[in-house]
Amino acid sequence: MTIGLLRRPATRRVSLPGTDAVEAAVRAPRVGNGALFGGLALLTAVIGGLDILSGDDLRLVPLLVVVPALVSVFGTIAQTVGVASWVMVVAVVSRLVAGGTFWDVVSSIVFTVLACLLGIGACALRIRHATEIARLRSAAVALQRQILRPLPIPTDQITAHGTYTPIEEDRLVGGDIYEVVQSAYGTRVIIGDVQGKGVPAIGAGFAVLGAFREAAIREPSLTGVVDALEDAVVRHNAFSAQTGETERFVTALVLDFDSDGRVQAVNCGHLPPRLVHDGVAVAVPLRRTSVPLGMAELSNEDRTAERLDLPPGATLLMFTDGVTEARDADGHFYPLDTRLGRWARLEPRELLDALEHDLEEFSDGVRRDDVAVLALRRAPATAPRPAEPSGPDATRAAEAFSTL
């Protein structure tokens, strides 16, 4: 294979915020200066008026010292300094006018100045901490783009729409993986689920993705791609054993779309996809499901590919068990096939939006696993002549899988 045989698909450019943009966003004021200082003047007038009415029995102006501390929670350093300066002037002038012993006046002024300086310091520390967190999150986003590419991903054969939701909201990536690679042999697609959770699971997933991105371009057969993935997991587990980490396996569904509209699939212990077409949603019966990646030595059977002619306009839905194992408050599992039947005439993006919203509502926002879903549709520009299974016969199309 020569490099010239490989055409690069047009992909959507996703710009990541730079460090300067991140810092600018953190330091930007959340409240305008006009509203802030207008409110401060009004508050000062109210407290000053009440202080005059209460006489010498109750001094209220010193209460203004809490204002810089409040502003430090949401304001910028400049705003906090401005508010603190205003409070110090008002409090000092008020104390001098009220009179009293020398030490009373001095102690009051010192207390006011210290309180205002603490407010300024708290604001500076908050912004510094927020900037560090924003930088780390920006780096995490950049890392996520290297692990899981943003969707949709268009290729010569298909357009892959999708959604990804990690189990923890503060994490950008979890144990579920996916990738779409354009090669000289067609478009190769993988979706997988790494055993376990946390950083070790992410490491195993990244090993699979790295191997897939290389093998998808190099290997002419889909089984060759899967064999490369198996080797990658075995090597990763060997390294994990040396470092005292747990060995893991990966369930995966690997597909190949050629220019004639045919789809080959190798299922490594993963959930079968769903074929959505012409108002019908059915499970695709994969008859040659093999063991997960990393466990080939436990099986005497070689992995084989199965084939399907994907009807024009059909959507092939791939997903992880975070969808099917989601539960409601009563412990019932999510009825995926029933729900898909309601949305079988929707476009891929609309179908994914409906699924994501319904899944969140069904589980009441409680996540028990990562959720990854891919909705694959053949590119219209390269759609071949109408395939044999078409119209309402999506069930017949699903049954057309046969061993190569």
Side-chain angles (χ1 to χ4, degrees), residues 78-139:
Q79 288 177 331
T80 306
V81 170
V83 170
S85 301
W86 172 266
V87 169
M88 282 191 290
V89 171
V90 172
V92 169
V93 171
S94 174
R95 195 65 186 86
L96 292 175
V97 171
T101 64
F102 174 78
W103 290 113
D104 287 342
V105 173
V106 170
S107 61
S108 178
I109 293 175
V110 170
F111 173 77
T112 300
V113 172
L114 289 177
C116 292
L117 291 178
L118 285 175
I120 297 172
C123 181
L125 289 176
R126 175 187 65 81
I127 292 180
R128 178 181 178 182
H129 179 70
T131 301
E132 292 176 352
I133 294 298
R135 287 175 178 173
L136 290 174
R137 189 167 183 82
S138 178

Side-chain angles (χ1 to χ4, degrees), residues 165-173 197-198 367 369-370:
T165 307
I167 185 173
E168 298 181 21
E169 293 184 358
D170 59 339
R171 291 186 178 180
L172 297 174
V173 66
K197 299 176 178 64
R367 297 172 186 161
D369 201 354
D370 304 317

Side-chain angles (χ1 to χ4, degrees), residues 24 32-33 51 73 80 82 105 130 136 144 154 175 226 248 264 304 315 329 368 381 389 392:
N33 291 334
D51 185 82
V73 175
T80 306
V105 173
L136 290 174
Q144 183 201 30
V226 176
R248 300 176 185 276
Q264 296 182 44
T304 57
T315 298
R368 293 179 172 84

Side-chain angles (χ1 to χ4, degrees), residues 8-176:
R8 293 182 176 273
T11 56
R12 185 181 65 176
R13 297 179 62 87
V14 178
S15 59
L16 297 176
T19 303
D20 294 340
V22 170
E23 293 187 12
V26 170
R27 298 176 185 275
R30 302 179 185 176
V31 178
N33 291 334
L36 176 63
F37 290 102
L40 178 62
L42 179 60
L43 178 63
T44 303
V46 171
I47 292 181
L50 294 176
D51 185 82
I52 294 174
L53 294 176
S54 63
D56 296 334
D57 297 333
L58 182 63
R59 306 299 301 175
L60 298 178
V61 171
L63 295 177
L64 288 173
V65 295
V66 303
V67 177
L70 294 175
V71 174
S72 69
V73 175
F74 60 86
T76 64
I77 294 179
Q79 288 177 331
T80 306
V81 170
V83 170
S85 301
W86 172 266
V87 169
M88 282 191 290
V89 171
V90 172
V92 169
V93 171
S94 174
R95 195 65 186 86
L96 292 175
V97 171
T101 64
F102 174 78
W103 290 113
D104 287 342
V105 173
V106 170
S107 61
S108 178
I109 293 175
V110 170
F111 173 77
T112 300
V113 172
L114 289 177
C116 292
L117 291 178
L118 285 175
I120 297 172
C123 181
L125 289 176
R126 175 187 65 81
I127 292 180
R128 178 181 178 182
H129 179 70
T131 301
E132 292 176 352
I133 294 298
R135 287 175 178 173
L136 290 174
R137 189 167 183 82
S138 178
V141 170
L143 179 61
Q144 183 201 30
R145 300 304 188 196
Q146 298 301 316
I147 298 178
L148 299 176
R149 287 199 292 163
L151 296 160
I153 303 174
T155 69
D156 289 346
Q157 285 76 34
I158 64 169
T159 297
H161 299 267
T163 180
Y164 182 84
T165 307
I167 185 173
E168 298 181 21
E169 293 184 358
D170 59 339
R171 291 186 178 180
L172 297 174
V173 66
D176 288 359

